[in-house]
Amino acid sequence: MSDDRAVFAEGVVKKFGEVVALDGMDLTVERGQVVGLLGPNGAGKTTMVRILSTLLAPTEGFARVAGFDVVKEPDEVRRAIGLTGQYAAVDEYLTGRENLRMFGDLYHLEPKYVKRRSQELLDSFDLSEAADRPVRTYSGGMRRRLDLASSLIARPSILFLDEPTTGLDPRSRLGMWAVIESLVAEGTTVLLTTQYLEEADQLAQDIVVIDHGRVIAHGTAEALKDQIGGDRIEVTVVNLGQAGAAAEVLRSVSTGEPAIEEGRVSAPVSGGSTVLVTAIRALDVAGIEVSDLLLRRPTLDDVFMSLTGHAAEDAQPVPAKRGRKGRQS
Amino acid sequence: MSTVAPVRSRPIVGWAVHDGLVVARRNLIQSIRVPESLFFSLVQPVIFVLLFAYVFGGAIPIPGDGANAEDAANAYRNYLMPGIFGQTVAFAAAASTVGIAEDMRKGLIDRFRALPMAHGAVLIGRTFADAGRQILVLAVLSLTGLIVGWRISGGVLNAIYAYLLLLLFAYTVSWVGSTIGLSMPNPETASTAGLAWLFPLTFLSNAFVPISSMPDWLQAFAAFNPVSTLVLSTRELFGNPTGIQPDYWPMQHPEAYTVLACAVIIAIFATLSVRKFGRTTSK
Ligand SMILES: Nc1ncnc2c1ncn2[C@@H]1O[C@H](COP(=O)(O)OP(=O)(O)OP(=O)(O)O)[C@@H](O)[C@H]1O
Ligand SMILES: [Mg+2]
């Protein structure tokens, strides 16, 4: 293969009738890298993963995975990848072990190997006790883990994870992170989508922020934070009615547009603590009562806010048509 | 990754059949784990046998048979059983429709499609399993029939041939059912749509009443309905009363027509559904 990139996509457009889900996506993932595809509901994350895993054909543009064209050489792509979709896709009536065996058989692996590998996965995913119970009796977190285990049965070199921790409680989420980190340590290339900024920050070296089917920013977590200008000042007003006035005051010390969220006003600043002093004075002069005031290092939430004008968790109006949306499995 | 998973050598039957059997095994395990669904798929035809045998028995005269009431009722039961066999195997299609729709809902179809498995194997597995389940259904039905007075009097080989034809037909309609299932937006719609076409298909046939009792225009439809030729074939092979057949080619050559119709239907719907499968994503 002349192309050594794990994923290379250029100008991918996907239309569903009138809906433009992807609007010219470019994406590169080097081998061994972990890339986080970050975006709010409806940004096009799942659509991109489906195209890369050969489930959907792009309307325009092209994509190569493991050096193979996803449209022209889907079988080669499928042999190289593992896919864990947004909703756990395991058979309810089979046991955990039977599920793994079925997927192993369908990857055409040696039966003996499938047996050994299944046990290995069940052990490392903390499922050995439940291994011989029908999946119907599993908790959401257990299903998610089995789902991931199923896509690892053939030791894929490239793994697509679509919102691997959505719907998991904090403990299960940490467990899932540990599992993903160990896969990465073994050299697996991972493309994961997430709505959680801390998740991308935690797992991915490279973050691709998308909105409305396009890449709006790209870089390491640090680079993205720097891009929006370092520190932020955050003021919580006592009286909600004074939030607007507080924003006006902050505008005079900030390097960008202040944002108001309920009684909390925040603005990007540079200059560290001296700005803080100036801000306190100015707020005092303006007669604004403040209950909390702090200076903080930016999080990816701020990055998102500044890039898209809305918070990452702000759901876009998504057409009601997609029945599966509301279901958590 | 450093280690690569070892791939097994190609089985003699080929990957498509191997993968189909893997999926069929999974579908059959499902039936065992949900015995209720298997139970009710057995209860319905049994109820049909009892209803028809005791409620309608004798009310529907079979031309050319039985002079007195007792003989007529017996003749009808013997006439009826192959009809119920035919109707029952036709309804195997509904299970395929719902099964496929449920796999789509659960995201399993996506997962299968992202595997390097043989094209169409999911559908082969589905149709194998749904037709295979009919073996048990036919056994229970046959027992019920024997209890109400149905008899096989055409010899063992002919009887085996009749059962094979019934299974072939179940397999055939499973392909039609799968194709319908792939087009459905959700399992709820699938369970309605999966049944809707089966009622006219099975009732506009000779399954319960002789074709000669129908209006002319319906006779033509019923005579070319493969359910009719299947039922007529099994009546002949089981040595049950057949009534008098209208003068259409399929009615004169029911076995040949049934096998031919099955082959054509499988060819069409396997092509359609495999193509559809390649484009479907879970809903
Ligand atoms: N099969 C489809 N038919 C019509 N529209 C679709 C289809 N699949 C996705 N869309 C639309 O495409 C857009 C992108 O959807 P996608 O599922 O890729 O978003 P996402 O980033 O994965 O969102 P979420 O975080 O909610 O999972 C949305 O507007 C969605 O409604
Ligand atoms: Mg999604």
Side-chain angles (χ1 to χ4, degrees):
Chain A
M1 244 60 16
S2 58
D3 192 348
D4 202 42
R5 287 165 294 201
V7 175
F8 178 66
E10 214 171 41
V12 174
V13 173
K14 180 69 195 181
K15 293 182 185 153
F16 296 102
E18 293 286 283
V19 182
V20 182
L22 295 177
D23 193 11
M25 271 278 289
D26 299 329
L27 185 67
T28 303
V29 182
E30 302 292 342
R31 282 196 185 268
Q33 214 185 9
V34 189
V35 170
L37 205 55
L38 180 65
N41 285 133
K45 304 181 295 293
T46 298
T47 307
M48 189 63 187
V49 167
R50 284 195 166 158
I51 286 175
L52 294 177
S53 49
T54 76
L55 295 178
L56 281 178
T59 315
E60 277 169 47
F62 90 111
R64 270 207 303 271
V65 171
F68 301 105
D69 188 302
V70 294
V71 177
K72 295 187 196 119
E73 302 158 296
D75 279 334
E76 284 77 3
V77 172
R78 287 170 194 160
R79 256 186 280 278
I81 63 165
L83 166 68
T84 300
Q86 188 167 352
Y87 304 95
V90 283
D91 192 299
E92 300 255 298
Y93 300 107
L94 301 191
T95 66
R97 196 188 304 279
E98 286 167 342
N99 266 288
L100 293 176
R101 174 173 172 202
M102 171 174 72
F103 292 120
D105 286 348
L106 293 176
Y107 269 111
H108 303 162
L109 303 176
E110 260 174 28
K112 260 201 211 127
Y113 168 84
V114 171
K115 220 169 164 185
R116 205 177 57 232
R117 176 79 175 148
S118 301
Q119 189 57 51
E120 203 176 290
L121 287 165
L122 289 165
D123 288 341
S124 62
F125 283 72
D126 201 13
L127 289 169
S128 31
E129 239 168 79
D132 298 306
R133 262 174 25 207
V135 171
R136 222 171 0 161
T137 64
Y138 284 23
S139 73
M142 292 162 79
R143 274 172 211 230
R144 266 333 247 169
R145 293 205 296 277
L146 179 64
D147 198 31
L148 179 55
S150 307
S151 46
L152 296 177
I153 191 103
R155 296 182 175 278
S157 62
I158 302 170
L159 192 59
F160 297 126
L161 303 174
D162 195 2
E163 302 197 16
T165 65
T166 300
L168 296 189
D169 64 27
R171 194 172 138 267
S172 311
R173 174 171 305 166
L174 289 179
M176 191 59 99
W177 284 1
V179 167
I180 296 170
E181 275 163 351
S182 72
L183 288 170
V184 173
E186 287 174 54
T188 311
T189 307
V190 177
L191 176 67
L192 70 99
T193 79
T194 180
Q195 302 180 36
Y196 302 112
L197 306 161
E198 47 166 336
E199 185 161 288
D201 204 353
Q202 165 86 21
L203 295 174
Q205 300 135 1
D206 207 8
I207 297 174
V208 176
V209 187
I210 67 168
D211 198 22
H212 300 296
R214 296 168 159 276
V215 176
I216 54 172
H218 175 209
T220 61
E222 282 311 306
L224 288 174
K225 286 173 185 173
D226 286 347
Q227 189 178 326
I228 62 149
D231 301 348
R232 285 185 82 84
I233 198 166
E234 228 178 72
V235 175
T236 310
V237 293
V238 174
N239 186 343
L240 275 187
Q242 290 192 319
E248 276 313 307
V249 171
L250 287 189
R251 199 189 303 278
S252 62
V253 299
S254 78
T255 55
E257 197 59 19
I260 305 177
E261 209 179 309
E262 308 254 303
R264 216 181 66 202
V265 184
S266 69
V269 293
S270 62
S273 44
T274 51
V275 185
L276 207 54
V277 177
T278 320
I280 292 172
R281 285 210 187 109
L283 287 165
D284 196 28
V285 169
I288 296 165
E289 260 188 284
V290 170
S291 67
D292 194 12
L293 188 144
L294 57 93
L295 186 71
R296 66 179 176 95
R297 282 292 294 161
T299 66
L300 278 170
D301 266 310
D302 304 319
V303 176
F304 213 90
M305 197 70 188
S306 97
L307 288 170
T308 66
H310 55 81
E313 275 83 18
D314 269 357
Q316 308 260 61
V318 174
K321 164 166 198 219
R322 300 196 63 211
R324 277 168 56 91
K325 275 261 133 110
R327 204 178 61 98
Q328 292 293 341
S329 48
Chain B
M1 224 174 253
S2 47
T3 33
V4 173
V7 174
R8 58 167 293 178
S9 55
R10 189 172 178 282
I12 307 158
V13 287
W15 287 125
V17 174
H18 168 270
D19 295 352
L21 290 175
V22 171
V23 177
R25 181 179 64 204
R26 164 226 167 200
N27 291 337
L28 290 172
I29 291 177
Q30 279 191 355
S31 338
I32 297 167
R33 299 271 155 81
V34 196
E36 296 85 354
S37 98
L38 193 62
F39 177 74
F40 285 107
S41 71
L42 291 172
V43 163
Q44 193 216 348
V46 167
I47 289 180
F48 259 71
V49 172
L50 299 177
L51 272 181
F52 276 91
Y54 294 109
V55 180
F56 300 113
I60 304 169
I62 308 307
D65 273 299
N68 64 50
E70 184 62 19
D71 282 356
N74 250 329
Y76 185 66
R77 279 171 207 163
N78 274 293
Y79 177 81
L80 169 80
M81 276 310 294
I84 290 181
F85 283 136
Q87 189 197 38
T88 304
V89 292
F91 274 74
S96 307
T97 306
V98 174
I100 292 272
E102 272 174 358
D103 284 352
M104 291 201 296
R105 150 85 49 99
K106 289 180 195 150
L108 270 165
I109 297 287
D110 269 2
R111 168 143 252 157
F112 286 136
R113 285 189 56 232
L115 295 179
M117 61 194 281
H119 296 285
V122 171
L123 298 163
I124 292 175
R126 166 63 55 193
T127 50
F128 271 7
D130 288 345
R133 251 194 303 267
Q134 294 300 311
I135 296 175
L136 184 62
V137 176
L138 286 174
V140 171
L141 255 184
S142 301
L143 271 178
T144 317
L146 291 172
I147 291 167
V148 302
W150 169 67
R151 291 292 174 265
I152 297 175
S153 47
V156 176
L157 283 184
N158 278 341
I160 292 173
Y161 184 20
Y163 283 117
L164 287 179
L165 276 181
L166 288 165
L167 290 176
L168 170 67
F169 195 76
Y171 186 68
T172 305
V173 291
S174 285
W175 279 104
V176 182
S178 301
T179 311
I180 297 173
L182 285 170
S183 325
M184 292 295 126
N186 55 51
E188 292 75 30
T189 315
S191 65
T192 317
L195 282 175
W197 62 284
L198 289 170
F199 284 102
L201 181 78
T202 53
F203 280 97
L204 298 181
S205 77
N206 62 2
F208 305 109
V209 295
I211 290 182
S212 51
S213 68
M214 297 177 185
D216 283 349
W217 58 274
L218 251 179
Q219 285 198 17
F221 177 88
F224 282 89
N225 182 348
V227 174
S228 298
T229 57
L230 171 73
V231 170
L232 179 55
S233 305
T234 50
R235 279 183 184 135
E236 287 177 1
L237 292 165
F238 283 139
N240 296 144
T242 59
I244 295 155
Q245 305 320 319
D247 199 17
Y248 291 99
W249 191 87
M251 291 286 106
Q252 305 305 325
H253 309 85
E255 288 157 32
Y257 182 83
T258 305
V259 173
L260 206 75
C262 287
V264 171
I265 294 170
I266 291 175
I268 293 172
F269 283 89
T271 313
L272 274 179
S273 60
V274 170
R275 191 181 306 161
K276 212 161 176 37
F277 184 84
R279 288 193 305 244
T280 311
T281 49
S282 291
K283 291 171 179 133

PDB file of all heavy atoms in Angstrom, chain A residues 233 249-258 267-270 275:
ATOM      1  N   ILE A 233     -11.941  35.008  31.987  1.00  0.00           N
ATOM      2  CA  ILE A 233     -12.414  35.529  33.259  1.00  0.00           C
ATOM      3  C   ILE A 233     -13.888  35.151  33.353  1.00  0.00           C
ATOM      4  O   ILE A 233     -14.600  35.166  32.350  1.00  0.00           O
ATOM      5  CB  ILE A 233     -12.181  37.049  33.324  1.00  0.00           C
ATOM      6  CG1 ILE A 233     -12.243  37.542  34.764  1.00  0.00           C
ATOM      7  CG2 ILE A 233     -13.151  37.801  32.462  1.00  0.00           C
ATOM      8  CD1 ILE A 233     -11.673  38.950  34.894  1.00  0.00           C
ATOM      9  N   VAL A 249     -19.050  45.616  30.995  1.00  0.00           N
ATOM     10  CA  VAL A 249     -17.845  45.953  31.746  1.00  0.00           C
ATOM     11  C   VAL A 249     -16.683  45.053  31.316  1.00  0.00           C
ATOM     12  O   VAL A 249     -15.576  45.513  31.062  1.00  0.00           O
ATOM     13  CB  VAL A 249     -18.092  45.810  33.267  1.00  0.00           C
ATOM     14  CG1 VAL A 249     -16.785  45.954  34.033  1.00  0.00           C
ATOM     15  CG2 VAL A 249     -19.109  46.843  33.732  1.00  0.00           C
ATOM     16  N   LEU A 250     -16.985  43.750  31.201  1.00  0.00           N
ATOM     17  CA  LEU A 250     -15.920  42.810  30.841  1.00  0.00           C
ATOM     18  C   LEU A 250     -15.384  43.076  29.444  1.00  0.00           C
ATOM     19  O   LEU A 250     -14.217  42.857  29.157  1.00  0.00           O
ATOM     20  CB  LEU A 250     -16.424  41.362  30.932  1.00  0.00           C
ATOM     21  CG  LEU A 250     -16.614  40.821  32.349  1.00  0.00           C
ATOM     22  CD1 LEU A 250     -16.901  39.329  32.301  1.00  0.00           C
ATOM     23  CD2 LEU A 250     -15.369  41.066  33.214  1.00  0.00           C
ATOM     24  N   ARG A 251     -16.277  43.571  28.569  1.00  0.00           N
ATOM     25  CA  ARG A 251     -15.850  43.855  27.207  1.00  0.00           C
ATOM     26  C   ARG A 251     -14.640  44.803  27.192  1.00  0.00           C
ATOM     27  O   ARG A 251     -13.749  44.669  26.364  1.00  0.00           O
ATOM     28  CB  ARG A 251     -17.013  44.469  26.409  1.00  0.00           C
ATOM     29  CG  ARG A 251     -16.823  44.370  24.895  1.00  0.00           C
ATOM     30  CD  ARG A 251     -17.863  45.174  24.144  1.00  0.00           C
ATOM     31  NE  ARG A 251     -19.236  44.774  24.472  1.00  0.00           N
ATOM     32  CZ  ARG A 251     -19.849  43.736  23.927  1.00  0.00           C
ATOM     33  NH1 ARG A 251     -19.236  43.004  23.045  1.00  0.00           N
ATOM     34  NH2 ARG A 251     -21.081  43.444  24.277  1.00  0.00           N
ATOM     35  N   SER A 252     -14.626  45.707  28.167  1.00  0.00           N
ATOM     36  CA  SER A 252     -13.549  46.700  28.174  1.00  0.00           C
ATOM     37  C   SER A 252     -12.201  46.079  28.545  1.00  0.00           C
ATOM     38  O   SER A 252     -11.159  46.636  28.227  1.00  0.00           O
ATOM     39  CB  SER A 252     -13.895  47.837  29.143  1.00  0.00           C
ATOM     40  OG  SER A 252     -14.016  47.311  30.451  1.00  0.00           O
ATOM     41  N   VAL A 253     -12.214  44.941  29.240  1.00  0.00           N
ATOM     42  CA  VAL A 253     -10.930  44.319  29.606  1.00  0.00           C
ATOM     43  C   VAL A 253     -10.611  43.074  28.782  1.00  0.00           C
ATOM     44  O   VAL A 253      -9.511  42.546  28.863  1.00  0.00           O
ATOM     45  CB  VAL A 253     -10.889  43.938  31.108  1.00  0.00           C
ATOM     46  CG1 VAL A 253     -11.056  45.177  31.974  1.00  0.00           C
ATOM     47  CG2 VAL A 253     -11.946  42.891  31.419  1.00  0.00           C
ATOM     48  N   SER A 254     -11.588  42.600  28.012  1.00  0.00           N
ATOM     49  CA  SER A 254     -11.378  41.310  27.356  1.00  0.00           C
ATOM     50  C   SER A 254     -10.810  41.454  25.952  1.00  0.00           C
ATOM     51  O   SER A 254     -10.818  42.536  25.373  1.00  0.00           O
ATOM     52  CB  SER A 254     -12.696  40.526  27.293  1.00  0.00           C
ATOM     53  OG  SER A 254     -13.485  41.036  26.248  1.00  0.00           O
ATOM     54  N   THR A 255     -10.343  40.324  25.444  1.00  0.00           N
ATOM     55  CA  THR A 255      -9.769  40.319  24.100  1.00  0.00           C
ATOM     56  C   THR A 255     -10.766  39.782  23.085  1.00  0.00           C
ATOM     57  O   THR A 255     -10.456  39.642  21.918  1.00  0.00           O
ATOM     58  CB  THR A 255      -8.516  39.418  24.064  1.00  0.00           C
ATOM     59  OG1 THR A 255      -8.904  38.127  24.548  1.00  0.00           O
ATOM     60  CG2 THR A 255      -7.411  39.974  24.912  1.00  0.00           C
ATOM     61  N   GLY A 256     -11.948  39.449  23.561  1.00  0.00           N
ATOM     62  CA  GLY A 256     -12.955  38.925  22.632  1.00  0.00           C
ATOM     63  C   GLY A 256     -14.342  39.182  23.171  1.00  0.00           C
ATOM     64  O   GLY A 256     -14.520  39.916  24.142  1.00  0.00           O
ATOM     65  N   GLU A 257     -15.303  38.554  22.537  1.00  0.00           N
ATOM     66  CA  GLU A 257     -16.699  38.776  22.895  1.00  0.00           C
ATOM     67  C   GLU A 257     -17.062  38.053  24.201  1.00  0.00           C
ATOM     68  O   GLU A 257     -16.837  36.858  24.324  1.00  0.00           O
ATOM     69  CB  GLU A 257     -17.562  38.236  21.750  1.00  0.00           C
ATOM     70  CG  GLU A 257     -18.982  38.716  21.729  1.00  0.00           C
ATOM     71  CD  GLU A 257     -19.131  40.230  21.633  1.00  0.00           C
ATOM     72  OE1 GLU A 257     -18.156  40.926  21.218  1.00  0.00           O
ATOM     73  OE2 GLU A 257     -20.201  40.705  21.993  1.00  0.00           O
ATOM     74  N   PRO A 258     -17.627  38.754  25.183  1.00  0.00           N
ATOM     75  CA  PRO A 258     -18.084  38.065  26.397  1.00  0.00           C
ATOM     76  C   PRO A 258     -19.310  37.205  26.096  1.00  0.00           C
ATOM     77  O   PRO A 258     -20.085  37.531  25.209  1.00  0.00           O
ATOM     78  CB  PRO A 258     -18.472  39.209  27.353  1.00  0.00           C
ATOM     79  CG  PRO A 258     -17.943  40.449  26.728  1.00  0.00           C
ATOM     80  CD  PRO A 258     -17.848  40.203  25.258  1.00  0.00           C
ATOM     81  N   ALA A 267     -15.418  35.899  29.623  1.00  0.00           N
ATOM     82  CA  ALA A 267     -14.790  36.573  28.486  1.00  0.00           C
ATOM     83  C   ALA A 267     -13.325  36.173  28.419  1.00  0.00           C
ATOM     84  O   ALA A 267     -12.685  35.955  29.452  1.00  0.00           O
ATOM     85  CB  ALA A 267     -14.916  38.079  28.660  1.00  0.00           C
ATOM     86  N   PRO A 268     -12.810  36.053  27.205  1.00  0.00           N
ATOM     87  CA  PRO A 268     -11.381  35.740  27.069  1.00  0.00           C
ATOM     88  C   PRO A 268     -10.536  36.960  27.444  1.00  0.00           C
ATOM     89  O   PRO A 268     -10.902  38.090  27.087  1.00  0.00           O
ATOM     90  CB  PRO A 268     -11.238  35.399  25.585  1.00  0.00           C
ATOM     91  CG  PRO A 268     -12.378  36.066  24.905  1.00  0.00           C
ATOM     92  CD  PRO A 268     -13.488  36.174  25.895  1.00  0.00           C
ATOM     93  N   VAL A 269      -9.466  36.710  28.160  1.00  0.00           N
ATOM     94  CA  VAL A 269      -8.591  37.818  28.559  1.00  0.00           C
ATOM     95  C   VAL A 269      -7.149  37.401  28.379  1.00  0.00           C
ATOM     96  O   VAL A 269      -6.840  36.215  28.286  1.00  0.00           O
ATOM     97  CB  VAL A 269      -8.802  38.198  30.046  1.00  0.00           C
ATOM     98  CG1 VAL A 269     -10.185  38.792  30.253  1.00  0.00           C
ATOM     99  CG2 VAL A 269      -8.583  37.001  30.956  1.00  0.00           C
ATOM    100  N   SER A 270      -6.267  38.380  28.333  1.00  0.00           N
ATOM    101  CA  SER A 270      -4.853  38.050  28.424  1.00  0.00           C
ATOM    102  C   SER A 270      -4.250  38.987  29.456  1.00  0.00           C
ATOM    103  O   SER A 270      -4.771  40.063  29.717  1.00  0.00           O
ATOM    104  CB  SER A 270      -4.185  38.200  27.054  1.00  0.00           C
ATOM    105  OG  SER A 270      -4.287  39.532  26.620  1.00  0.00           O
ATOM    106  N   VAL A 275      -5.498  41.653  35.042  1.00  0.00           N
ATOM    107  CA  VAL A 275      -6.808  41.856  34.426  1.00  0.00           C
ATOM    108  C   VAL A 275      -7.901  41.636  35.460  1.00  0.00           C
ATOM    109  O   VAL A 275      -8.910  42.335  35.488  1.00  0.00           O
ATOM    110  CB  VAL A 275      -7.025  40.885  33.244  1.00  0.00           C
ATOM    111  CG1 VAL A 275      -8.327  41.180  32.529  1.00  0.00           C
ATOM    112  CG2 VAL A 275      -5.866  40.954  32.304  1.00  0.00           C
TER     113      VAL A 275
END
